Amino acid sequence: MSEGMLQGMSQGMSEGMSQGVMQVVVIGYVWPEPNSSAAGQNMLALINQFLSYGHNVTFMTAATDSIHKTDLDNIGVSSEAVALNCSSFNERIEKLSPNVVIFDRYMTEEQFSWRVKDACPSAIRILNTEDLHSLRQARHDAVKAHDNALRASKETAASPVVAHIANAAKEADYNTPLAQREIAAILRCDLTLVISRTEYALLTDYYHVPAKQLYYHPLNLATVTDKAPDFQKRTDIVTIGNFRHAPNWDAVLQLKQTVWPAIKKVLPQANLHIYGAYPPKKATQLHNPKTGFYVDGWAENAHDVIANAKLLIAPLRFGAGIKGKILEAMRCGTPTLTTWVGAEGIAESIAEEMSPITPLAASSSLKSTEATENSATQPAWGGAICDTPEDFAKHAARFYNSEESWSSASKLGLALYHAFENDKESETLAERVAIIASDVNAHRKTLFLQGLLWHQTLNASKYMSQWIEAKNQNL
C-alpha cells in the first residue's frame, strides 16, 4: 500500500475515531495472501487501515498455515491459531476484550459470532463479505445447469449452438438456502463491508437489508506512479487468478476449449500466459507451448506480468465482487477483454444493461470519445466486454495489431480506474464505526431483524458446536 493511501486513510480514521486506541480482532477464514488473490489484498488493506490509526490488531484463524501468507508480525499484528468448536476461544476473546471484531466471510461469522456475543457483548461485530458467496454460487449453479442442458441439446440439434459465454449466470436464483445463511449473517452483525455497488444494491433492493447495517468498502487501489511499457515494448496475452477460485479455473477451461483456439486463428504469433497461485496438476497438464498456451503458475510480481502484456483476458462465466486483476490491468494501462461478469462492480454505468442486477449508483459516467467499429453495441470500456469466443478473437486482433486502438483503450481503462478510485462513501469507515461505538446499544435497538435472528437463528449452530466439543472431550 502506498504512503499516500496510508496517510489519507489515517487522516480519515483519526478524524472519525474518538474512542482512543481500540483493540481490534480479525477472525480470518484463511491467512491473508495479498499476492494470491484480491481477497487477500482486501484483508491486508483492512488490517493496515486500522493499524495506521494506532489501533492494536490481533489476527486469529483456524486455517492451516500457508507458505504464501503475509508476514503479520512484520507489520505489528499478533496472530493466533484458534480451534473450532472449542470454548477456549471464548476464554481468549474475553481476555482480549476487543472493541471491534471483524469476521472474514459469513462462514466465520456463523462459527464464532455467538461466542463473541456471549464473551464480549459490547464489541462491535463487523462482517467483511469479500464478495457475496451466495451470489457467486447461484451463478455457478446456473452455469452448470446451462452446461447440462447444452450437452443434451447438442445431441439433438440440427445446427451448432452459439456459445454465449456468460449468459447463463443471468438466470441465477437469488433465493437459495445459502443466500439465507449469508443474509442472516449480515443481519446479525452491526455493520457489513460490501465490496461492490452492485452487491450493495442487491442487498438493499432485493434482500431489504437496512442501509444502516451496510458500508460500501471497495478494494483499496494502489497509486498510479510507474510509467508502464508502451505498445511496442509489450507482447502476448495474459490471464491471472488463484486456481482454487472456481470462477478462475472455469475461465482457464473456457480459454483452453473455445476462446484461445478462436484467438489463435487470428493471432497466430501471440501466446497466452496463465498465472495464478496453487495450480493443480489438471491445470499444469493443459500447458502446451505448440499452441501458445502456457500455464506459468505462481507470479512473483503480478503487476510486472500484467504491465508487460499487450492484453489481459478474463472470460469469466460466473463470479461476484470485484475482479482485482482487471483493476490492476487498468492501472498498468493494459486493455482488458472480459465478460459482463468481469466488468460488474467496476464501471456500473457501462455494465448495467448487461448485468441482471440494477446498480445502486454508477461508479462512472465516462463514455468513450472515439467511435469503435461496433460503437452501437459495445459500451465504453478499457478494452472490450465480450459475449462469445468470436467476440474475444475479434477484439483481441484489433487491440493486438492496432497501436491506435490499443492506446485509446489503455487511456480509457486508466480513466475508469481513477473514477472507481474516487467512488467512495460520504463518511469514512472510521466515522461510521465511531458513530456505532458511541452507543452500540442504541444502534442495535433500531435493528429489529438483528434481534429476531439472534433470538433463534444460531441456536442450532451453537448447540451443535457445543455437542462437538463435548464429544471431542470424551475421545
Side-chain angles (χ1 to χ4, degrees):
M1 185 178 300
S2 69
E3 181 179 352
M5 290 174 65
L6 282 175
Q7 289 175 348
M9 290 189 299
S10 178
Q11 180 181 357
M13 195 86 159
S14 60
E15 290 174 355
M17 232 13 121
S18 58
Q19 306 300 314
V21 176
M22 300 183 74
Q23 304 299 321
V24 180
V25 169
V26 179
I27 307 176
Y29 179 67
V30 293
W31 291 97
E33 296 185 18
N35 293 324
S36 298
S37 67
Q41 296 168 15
N42 187 45
M43 175 51 70
L44 182 59
L46 187 60
I47 290 172
N48 275 320
Q49 206 169 345
F50 281 97
L51 286 176
S52 65
Y53 324 122
H55 302 311
N56 298 322
V57 179
T58 301
F59 186 86
M60 310 175 83
T61 183
T64 55
D65 204 9
S66 167
I67 60 173
H68 297 311
K69 71 179 181 182
T70 194
D71 187 352
L72 293 174
D73 289 338
N74 191 48
I75 61 173
V77 174
S78 60
S79 57
E80 302 180 14
V82 295
L84 296 173
N85 306 306
C86 184
S87 57
S88 61
F89 174 86
N90 302 53
E91 298 166 3
R92 182 56 183 153
I93 199 74
E94 184 175 14
K95 185 174 182 180
L96 288 172
S97 188
N99 305 98
V100 175
V101 177
I102 301 173
F103 304 101
D104 177 27
R105 306 170 223 207
Y106 80 94
M107 304 85 80
T108 306
E109 189 278 341
E110 286 183 332
Q111 177 67 225
F112 292 103
S113 65
W114 65 270
R115 294 183 182 275
V116 171
K117 183 175 181 292
D118 285 352
C120 309
S122 297
I124 298 171
R125 300 183 296 271
I126 299 177
L127 175 60
N128 182 35
T129 57
E130 297 294 359
D131 66 8
L132 288 182
H133 291 57
S134 56
L135 175 61
R136 179 178 1 120
Q137 186 60 52
R139 289 173 170 174
H140 193 179
D141 290 342
V143 166
K144 287 187 287 188
H146 170 268
D147 287 351
N148 292 335
L150 186 61
R151 279 190 288 269
S153 68
K154 284 182 176 179
E155 295 176 359
T156 58
S159 58
V161 180
V162 177
H164 294 281
I165 291 177
N167 274 7
K170 296 180 181 181
E171 305 302 320
D173 178 8
Y174 300 150
N175 190 6
T176 64
L178 183 58
Q180 293 169 5
R181 287 176 58 190
E182 190 165 29
I183 301 308
I186 290 170
L187 290 171
R188 282 191 296 267
C189 287
D190 300 310
L191 190 66
T192 290
L193 308 183
V194 185
I195 205 166
S196 87
R197 292 288 189 190
T198 303
E199 293 180 5
Y200 194 111
L202 184 66
L203 290 171
T204 55
D205 299 345
Y206 185 85
Y207 295 115
H208 303 292
V209 176
K212 68 180 69 177
Q213 283 182 273
L214 303 176
Y215 184 84
Y216 172 57
H217 191 263
L219 291 175
N220 277 305
L221 302 184
T223 304
V224 179
T225 55
D226 300 330
K227 181 172 176 54
D230 60 24
F231 177 82
Q232 297 296 338
K233 295 178 180 178
R234 296 179 182 232
T235 187
D236 291 340
I237 301 173
V238 67
T239 190
I240 189 167
N242 192 317
F243 282 90
R244 290 179 176 175
H245 193 53
N248 292 336
W249 170 238
D250 181 78
V252 170
L253 293 177
Q254 295 308 303
L255 285 164
K256 182 68 175 181
Q257 295 165 3
T258 61
V259 177
W260 184 244
I263 292 175
K264 196 65 174 173
K265 287 181 181 179
V266 297
L267 289 174
Q269 76 278 27
N271 296 308
L272 173 66
H273 292 273
I274 301 171
Y275 292 91
Y278 305 108
K281 186 176 181 179
K282 63 182 179 180
T284 57
Q285 288 176 336
L286 300 179
H287 182 81
N288 188 349
K290 290 183 179 180
T291 62
F293 197 91
Y294 291 84
V295 181
D296 296 308
W298 173 260
E300 289 295 336
N301 190 315
H303 174 82
D304 288 348
V305 163
I306 296 173
N308 284 285
K310 275 193 177 177
L311 299 172
L312 180 136
I313 190 168
L316 296 162
R317 296 202 297 168
F318 60 95
I322 299 293
K323 316 308 178 290
K325 56 177 150 277
I326 293 179
L327 287 172
E328 186 63 24
M330 289 178 169
R331 175 179 173 239
C332 299
T334 304
T336 299
L337 307 180
T338 190
T339 62
W340 68 264
V341 175
E344 186 181 66
I346 295 177
E348 294 307 337
S349 62
I350 69 173
E352 60 184 75
E353 292 185 4
M354 296 184 171
S355 171
I357 303 172
T358 301
L360 175 72
S363 60
S364 168
S365 59
L366 289 171
K367 299 295 179 185
S368 177
T369 58
E370 293 190 24
T372 64
E373 61 189 56
N374 62 337
S375 58
T377 57
Q378 181 65 213
W381 179 255
I385 299 175
C386 306
D387 185 41
T388 66
E390 292 71 28
D391 283 344
F392 278 98
K394 176 179 65 176
H395 292 296
R398 179 161 63 95
F399 293 121
Y400 204 91
N401 292 326
S402 169
E403 184 171 358
E404 182 181 0
S405 295
W406 184 93
S407 297
S408 177
S410 176
K411 292 175 183 177
L412 181 55
L414 191 58
L416 290 170
Y417 182 88
H418 288 307
F420 181 87
E421 186 178 30
N422 293 326
D423 180 32
K424 301 176 181 178
E425 289 273 21
S426 59
E427 60 184 1
T428 66
L429 176 60
E431 290 167 340
R432 178 68 73 86
V433 172
I435 290 171
I436 297 173
S438 66
D439 195 339
V440 67
N441 289 327
H443 174 72
R444 290 170 180 168
K445 282 182 180 179
T446 66
L447 305 177
F448 176 79
L449 290 178
Q450 183 188 75
L452 180 67
L453 285 168
W454 275 115
H455 180 66
Q456 288 292 342
T457 303
L458 275 192
N459 281 345
S461 298
K462 176 179 178 179
Y463 295 133
M464 174 60 74
S465 180
Q466 291 175 339
W467 178 83
I468 292 173
E469 180 180 5
K471 180 181 177 182
N472 289 341
Q473 289 174 348
N474 293 328
L475 293 179

